[in-house]
């Protein structure tokens, strides 16, 4: 039986990004000629019926991408836990011909949905028996198709790397902790910060990693000592002695000791005050964590999951098991819903049963790895080198333009290297510094406070070594006895590393392992789908475009916004997707005059029919002839009295600012792997060199020799770019809806 109508609801706790999912679901469905109904206030609306279940139009989801929470409301609903409640809900759905549901919620909401589906046939039988629906209707709607999306700031669902809302919550938490640390450092104070997470320590763990906190308490891995309070105090004291000016302890709501007793924040404060002999301030972040405008990541995650949910419904065979739309290794995939829910609940049970090892195992490899890395980074001093251990001398440098997250990566690399007993050297100003002996030993505290810092403290340069540089660099590698080199940066870093690699025959000093860590806001590096810095830049763009759009609320105006990226359209496309731009211009596609004519025609028709805002985003190099000024002038002239046009070139705002939580977390993870690589390869007589990155399967390494094969050197971008596949989604969702053929006052978004 073909699907006729989809119902969509948000249920349980709200999460930023739910609106993006709703918009994508509604527009994808309408684009596929499927009717879609919003069920307002979660399951309560399904039971109440009436106008709480309403047909959605293209424009009814306009102007909501940037809004936090959920515009269709959410609720907790006890009546849905009862059979009678679910029967009422079933009657309301059948009455409207809804036979497919997309539920955006947490594990509770999804469990409820599963029960509903299992009972569905029985409920329809009862309703027919009671004369509430006809026998034909019971037969016609015999199967209920269910697809779930996880909207939850806790990131507590098995099967998906991220849930909708988590990244935004991390933004709120890191903003707050960064702010707290600056005041704490001024007064040399200690703070306890409590974050959400009853059964899941993800937010606490990742925010600690991202902010450089000093101690963390999570439910899955309680402190393994009974006298943990003394240990915590001793660690903080040691940190102060080593030169830290602030001490920050982060605890998850559900923190517990190893006997399973909940840890109250008051007892942590008391222990800290008594032990440290100073006043300790507590900050409970509470609902701030849930609120506010969704991050670029959550908007795009919600959008991509929403689109896939509709496709999942349309392709589901009758009476199919409910599916969950998940993100795995930067790809949207589907998994059996109840298996994911049950595995997630098993973690809660393991915690309850005090089987913490199992709880950590169930959280997965990257969670465990992050926890291990955190425990290294928050030490006040590194471990002593093992007796007789060969101490390597590993150098770190930045190359290319500064990218937010570079400092976080250097901090992680230096501390992890030191903790493993090696000597860490910092090279100032990239290859230039390597040639000019700007090399110095880094100690534990030399990178203190670098986790949240934007820019590049070590300095960076765009110089790629050539000719004479090789000799100077080779001499310095020998003189400083460098055993391995970590290069953090953009195309300059990759090219430089490759040059040194190719010169190994002439300069034996270059026969050391080298590894490149992708850091460039342009996201134009091979072997990595996401480079460090790109997420921060994307959020900077989205922040600016949101404001630009608001500024035009009273006028009929079209903006042409130019974003960075060199020849790579990643920032343009992803910011277009996150802000609802109706047109994105990419160098990869080129710009033709007939495209501009076509876009202009659409603008004119739209504005004639009540549209008030146009948004076009262009990559800085999409066309040298049809540049920003040309496009704006063309639209302005041809738009005559219908609308005016403003061009905005966002410029270096995009490169600045503190790194986003995602960039901080990924740079730390990647740096940890890079140091492991250098240590391992330094033992080889002819060590290999590599570049690292995040790919569909997780963190991957590529042999440096592969660089020319993967790179389009002329345009300095990878030959294959995964995100180009998202273009049809951006195009469909931002096109004017059929309502724009009529007079409409709703913003196109
Ligand atoms: P979340 O979805 O965020 O985990 P809850 O656990 O509070 O939030 O669930 C939200 C709503 O989902 C509940 O108020 C209830 O209406 C419904 N629900 C949850 N669990 C069940 C269940 N076992 N059976 C039926 N409905 C449920």
């Amino acid at each position: 039986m073909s699907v006729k109508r989809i119902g969509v609801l948000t249920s349980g706790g709200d999460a930023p990004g739910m609106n993006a999912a709703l918009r994508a679901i509604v527009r994808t469905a309408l684009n596929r000629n499927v009717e879609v109904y919003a069920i307002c206030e979660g399951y309560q609306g399904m039971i109440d019926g009436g106008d709480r279940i309403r047909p959605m139009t293209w424009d009814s989801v306009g102007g909501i991408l940037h809004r936090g929470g959920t515009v269709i409301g959410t609720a907790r609903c006890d009546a849905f836990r009862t059979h009678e409640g679910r029967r009422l809900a079933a009657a309301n759905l059948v009455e409207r011909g809804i036979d497919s549901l997309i539920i955006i919620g947490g594990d509770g909401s999804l469990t409820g949905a599963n029960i509903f589906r299992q009972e569905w046939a029985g409920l329809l039988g009862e309703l027919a028996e009671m004369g509430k629906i006809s026998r034909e209707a019971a037969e016609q709607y015999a199967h209920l198709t269910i697809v779930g999306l996880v909207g939850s700031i806790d990131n507590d669902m098995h099967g998906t790397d991220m849930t909708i809302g988590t990244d935004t919550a991390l933004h709120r938490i890191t903003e707050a902790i960064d702010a707290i640390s600056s005041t704490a450092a001024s007064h040399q104070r200690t703070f306890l910060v409590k974050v959400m997470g009853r059964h899941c320590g993800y937010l606490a763990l990742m925010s600690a990693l991202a902010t450089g906190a000093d101690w963390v308490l999570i439910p899955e891995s309680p402190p393994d000592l009974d006298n943990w309070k003394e240990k915590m105090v001793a660690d903080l004291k040691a940190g102060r002695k080593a030169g830290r000016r602030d001490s920050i302890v982060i605890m998850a709501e559900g923190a517990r000791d190893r006997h399973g007793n909940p840890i109250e924040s008051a007892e942590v404060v008391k222990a800290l005050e008594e032990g440290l002999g100073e006043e300790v301030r507590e900050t409970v972040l509470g609902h701030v964590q849930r609120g506010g405008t969704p991050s670029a990541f959550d908007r795009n995650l919600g959008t991509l999951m929403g689109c896939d949910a509709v496709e999942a419904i349309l392709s589901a065979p009758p009476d199919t098991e409910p599916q969950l739309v998940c993100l795995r290794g930067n790809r949207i995939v589907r998994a059996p819903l109840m298996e994911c829910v049950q595995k997630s609940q098993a973690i809660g049970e393991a915690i309850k049963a005090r089987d913490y090892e199992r709880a950590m195992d169930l959280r997965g490899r990257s969670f465990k790895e992050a926890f291990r890395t955190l425990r290294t980074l928050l030490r006040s001093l590194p471990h002593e080198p093992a007796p007789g251990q060969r101490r390597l001398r590993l150098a770190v440098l930045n190359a290319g333009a500064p990218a937010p997250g570079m400092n976080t990566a250097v901090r992680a690399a230096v501390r992890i290297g030191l903790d493993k007993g090696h000597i860490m050297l910092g090279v100032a100003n990239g290859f230039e510094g390597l040639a000019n002996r700007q090399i110095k030993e880094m100690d534990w505290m030399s990178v203190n406070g670098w986790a949240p810092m934007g820019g590049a403290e070590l300095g960076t340069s765009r110089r790629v070594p050539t000719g004479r540089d090789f000799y100077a660099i080779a001499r310095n590698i020998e003189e400083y006895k460098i055993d391995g080199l970590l290069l953090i940066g953009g195309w300059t870093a990759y090219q430089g590393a490759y040059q040194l690699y190719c010169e190994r025959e002439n300069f034996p000093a270059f026969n050391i392992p080298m590894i490149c860590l992708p850091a460039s806001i342009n996201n134009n590096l091979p072997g990595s789908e996401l480079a460090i810095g790109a997420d921060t830049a994307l959020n900077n763009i989205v922040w600016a475009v949101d404001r630009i759009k608001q500024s035009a609320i009273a006028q009929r105006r079209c903006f042409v916004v130019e974003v960075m990226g060199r020849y790579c359209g990643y920032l343009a496309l992803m910011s277009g997707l996150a802000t609802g731009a109706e047109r994105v211009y990419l160098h990869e596609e080129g710009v033709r005059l007939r495209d501009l004519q076509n876009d202009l025609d659409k603008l004119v028709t739209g504005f004639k029919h009540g549209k008030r805002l146009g948004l076009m985003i262009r990559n800085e190099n999409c066309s040298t002839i049809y540049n920003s000024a040309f496009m704006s002038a063309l639209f302005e002239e041809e738009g005559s009295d219908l609308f005016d046009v403003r061009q905005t070139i966002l410029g270096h705002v995009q490169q600045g600012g503190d790194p986003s939580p995602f960039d901080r977390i990924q740079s730390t993870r990647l740096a940890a792997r890079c140091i492991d690589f250098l240590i391992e390869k330094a033992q080889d007589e002819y060590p290999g060199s590599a570049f690292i990155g995040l790919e569909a399967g997780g963190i991957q390494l590529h042999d440096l020799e592969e660089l020319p094969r993967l790179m389009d050197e002329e345009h300095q971008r990878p030959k294959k770019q995964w995100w180009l596949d998202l273009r049809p989604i951006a195009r469909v969702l931002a096109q004017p809806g059929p309502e724009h053929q009529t007079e409409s006052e709703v913003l196109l978004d």
Side-chain angles (χ1 to χ4, degrees):
M1 187 185 70
S2 66
V3 172
K4 285 170 298 310
R5 276 183 191 150
I6 296 176
V8 49
L9 68 151
T10 49
S11 168
D14 63 313
M18 282 179 162
N19 287 329
L22 174 72
R23 170 178 175 272
I25 290 164
V26 169
R27 292 193 175 173
T28 308
L30 295 177
N31 190 54
R32 302 280 248 114
N33 294 318
V34 175
E35 288 179 44
V36 53
Y37 282 68
I39 299 167
C40 301
E41 318 302 334
Y43 290 119
Q44 191 60 52
M46 205 188 281
I47 292 175
D48 294 345
D51 67 357
R52 287 200 158 176
I53 306 180
R54 36 181 108 117
M56 297 299 272
T57 63
W58 196 272
D59 281 354
S60 56
V61 288
I64 65 170
L65 258 181
H66 65 284
R67 289 171 64 181
T70 159
V71 294
I72 55 172
T74 179
R76 305 207 196 263
C77 165
D78 285 334
F80 196 73
R81 293 177 187 273
T82 65
H83 186 81
E84 293 71 36
R86 293 192 288 273
R87 194 167 58 212
L88 278 171
N92 282 324
L93 296 188
V94 171
E95 193 181 307
R96 290 162 182 79
I98 297 171
D99 57 3
S100 310
L101 286 179
I102 299 176
I103 291 104
I104 315 171
D107 62 341
S109 307
L110 299 173
T111 306
N114 187 55
I115 294 172
F116 192 40
R117 191 191 78 94
Q118 284 168 343
E119 288 182 355
W120 181 256
L123 293 172
L124 297 205
E126 288 168 36
L127 287 167
E129 198 81 10
M130 293 157 77
K132 303 266 186 202
I133 61 171
S134 65
R135 289 264 166 221
E136 296 74 58
E139 236 162 70
Q140 190 183 350
Y141 301 112
H143 302 296
L144 180 68
T145 309
I146 300 249
V147 171
L149 303 189
V150 192
S152 157
I153 65 162
D154 292 338
N155 206 24
D156 51 358
M157 182 63 70
H158 181 93
T160 184
D161 295 346
M162 290 297 274
T163 57
I164 298 169
T166 303
D167 183 66
T168 307
L170 274 177
H171 273 262
R172 297 293 100 80
I173 297 170
T174 49
E175 281 154 17
I177 297 179
D178 288 352
I180 288 169
S181 343
S182 61
T183 162
S186 310
H187 296 272
Q188 301 212 31
R189 273 201 183 127
T190 300
F191 274 80
L192 172 69
V193 182
K194 193 164 169 178
V195 303
M196 285 186 169
R198 234 165 273 192
H199 308 290
C200 183
Y202 184 89
L203 291 177
L205 170 59
M206 292 306 171
S207 60
L209 208 56
T211 58
D214 304 85
W215 239 76
V216 69
L217 291 159
I218 60 170
E220 297 90 338
S221 185
D224 46 11
L225 301 166
D226 275 335
N227 64 343
W228 63 270
K229 288 178 192 155
E230 282 101 79
K231 171 84 170 72
M232 171 178 70
V233 168
D235 283 354
L236 296 195
K237 272 188 176 161
R240 281 289 171 80
K241 203 160 147 230
R244 283 188 192 170
R245 290 189 55 87
D246 61 340
S247 310
I248 301 211
V249 176
I250 300 181
M251 68 179 284
E253 268 175 337
R256 54 189 56 228
D257 66 20
R258 69 195 186 113
H259 304 293
N261 305 312
I263 297 175
E264 298 299 331
S265 49
E267 61 176 307
V268 184
V269 170
K270 187 162 169 270
L272 290 170
E273 286 194 331
E274 285 173 5
L276 298 170
E278 64 180 44
E279 227 179 300
V280 173
R281 306 289 158 102
E282 180 187 348
T283 304
V284 180
L285 291 182
H287 282 77
V288 170
Q289 296 164 82
R290 249 187 220 295
T293 187
S295 66
F297 181 90
D298 274 329
R299 295 185 197 191
N300 289 345
L301 182 67
T303 297
L304 299 181
M305 285 186 160
C307 293
D308 191 68
V310 174
E311 299 303 334
I313 293 264
L314 297 184
S315 60
D319 207 20
T320 180
E321 280 293 307
Q323 296 288 301
L324 188 70
V325 178
C326 302
L327 180 78
R328 272 191 221 151
N330 204 28
R331 286 291 181 286
I332 302 292
V333 297
R334 295 172 203 157
L337 184 142
M338 279 323 283
E339 199 181 304
C340 297
V341 169
Q342 277 152 6
K343 285 198 174 144
S344 313
Q345 288 167 347
I347 302 177
E349 280 152 25
I351 295 172
K352 227 191 258 163
R354 289 182 282 150
D355 189 349
Y356 301 117
E357 207 173 315
R358 181 168 154 71
M360 287 299 272
D361 278 345
L362 287 167
R363 280 274 175 250
R365 198 178 107 171
S366 74
F367 190 91
K368 279 168 80 173
E369 207 172 274
F371 191 60
R372 235 189 346 263
T373 304
L374 177 71
R375 287 175 64 148
T376 301
L377 295 180
L378 53 69
R379 293 178 61 83
S380 48
L381 282 173
H383 283 102
E384 286 293 323
Q389 175 190 354
R390 177 180 169 209
R391 299 190 73 192
L392 300 169
R393 294 170 65 83
L394 305 175
V396 185
L397 63 79
N398 297 141
M406 278 181 164
N407 291 326
T408 326
V410 174
R411 167 184 180 264
V414 167
R415 288 204 168 166
I416 290 165
L418 290 172
D419 193 58
K420 293 189 185 243
H422 303 292
I423 294 159
M424 298 302 295
L425 303 166
V427 181
N429 306 321
F431 289 106
E432 204 173 299
L434 194 57
N436 296 336
R437 306 159 58 94
Q438 293 173 293
I439 303 168
K440 64 171 197 291
E441 207 174 312
M442 309 279 284
D443 66 18
W444 195 262
M445 290 304 286
S446 63
V447 289
N448 194 43
W450 284 25
M453 265 189 217
E457 288 294 300
L458 272 183
T460 178
S461 88
R462 288 180 191 267
R463 183 153 129 200
V464 179
T466 50
R468 259 182 319 172
D469 297 332
F470 293 137
Y471 176 74
I473 291 175
R475 190 192 57 211
N476 293 338
I477 288 179
E478 277 166 2
E479 194 173 314
Y480 286 86
K481 300 192 173 62
I482 295 173
D483 296 306
L485 194 53
L486 166 59
L487 307 106
I488 302 166
W491 182 225
T492 308
Y494 283 60
Q495 254 181 318
Y498 189 70
Q499 299 295 345
L500 300 190
Y501 185 78
C502 294
E503 292 287 334
R504 277 175 312 165
E505 302 272 289
N506 302 328
F507 298 92
F510 298 158
N511 212 347
I512 54 171
M514 291 180 281
I515 187 160
C516 301
L517 188 158
S520 162
I521 67 158
N522 301 331
N523 199 30
N524 59 347
L525 296 163
S528 191
E529 298 195 345
L530 297 165
I532 304 306
D535 182 62
T536 308
L538 193 55
N539 277 293
N540 289 342
I541 296 170
V542 168
W543 184 92
V545 172
D546 281 351
R547 273 148 194 81
I548 289 169
K549 284 172 75 173
Q550 270 170 1
S551 76
I553 215 84
Q555 287 98 351
R556 279 181 303 180
R557 185 165 280 174
C558 173
F559 287 98
V560 177
V561 177
E562 181 171 303
V563 303
M564 285 181 165
R566 299 181 67 113
Y567 290 99
C568 170
Y570 176 81
L571 288 177
L573 184 77
M574 297 310 261
S575 62
L577 199 59
T579 56
E582 55 213 280
R583 184 69 160 93
V584 174
Y585 298 100
L586 309 175
H587 181 269
E588 286 86 348
E589 293 179 327
V591 185
R592 312 280 10 126
L593 194 57
R594 64 173 173 278
D595 298 332
L596 294 175
Q597 178 71 52
N598 199 6
D599 297 338
L600 180 64
D601 289 346
K602 280 195 194 148
L603 279 176
V604 169
T605 318
F607 278 103
K608 262 191 193 154
H609 290 99
K611 170 180 164 70
R612 302 222 309 257
L613 179 77
L615 175 62
M616 325 294 254
I617 295 188
R618 47 171 288 141
N619 157 269
E620 59 186 346
N621 290 339
C622 64
S623 165
T624 39
I625 307 297
Y626 304 138
N627 59 19
S628 194
F630 175 90
M631 272 190 194
S632 307
L634 176 79
F635 294 157
E636 173 84 45
E637 179 66 15
E638 299 292 323
S640 60
D641 291 342
L642 264 179
F643 58 96
D644 61 19
V645 181
R646 294 285 185 275
Q647 64 161 319
T648 308
I649 297 175
L650 292 182
H652 284 78
V653 194
Q654 296 164 81
Q655 231 175 50
D658 297 338
S660 67
F662 181 86
D663 280 335
R664 298 185 200 183
I665 293 163
Q666 297 307 335
S667 55
T668 304
R669 291 178 65 205
L670 292 177
R673 289 282 184 97
C674 288
I675 293 298
D676 285 346
F677 173 87
L678 292 179
I679 294 171
E680 188 197 321
K681 295 292 170 192
Q683 320 295 337
D684 297 351
E685 197 176 344
Y686 298 104
S689 288
F691 46 101
I692 197 168
L694 292 161
E695 292 191 295
I699 294 180
Q700 309 277 346
L701 289 164
H702 287 271
D703 203 309
L704 197 50
E705 280 177 9
E706 285 185 61
L707 193 62
R709 188 175 63 78
L710 298 178
M711 199 68 184
D712 168 355
E713 292 210 25
E714 187 192 345
H715 298 113
Q716 299 188 3
R717 66 185 178 220
K719 284 183 186 154
K720 254 189 88 186
Q721 302 191 96
W722 64 278
W723 50 267
L724 285 170
D725 294 347
L726 307 180
R727 284 174 299 171
I729 293 178
R731 218 170 287 136
V732 165
L733 296 186
Q735 74 193 355
E739 287 100 339
H740 274 284
Q741 306 313 316
T742 61
E743 299 299 323
S744 162
E745 281 302 295
V746 186
L747 283 184
L748 175 64
D749 185 21

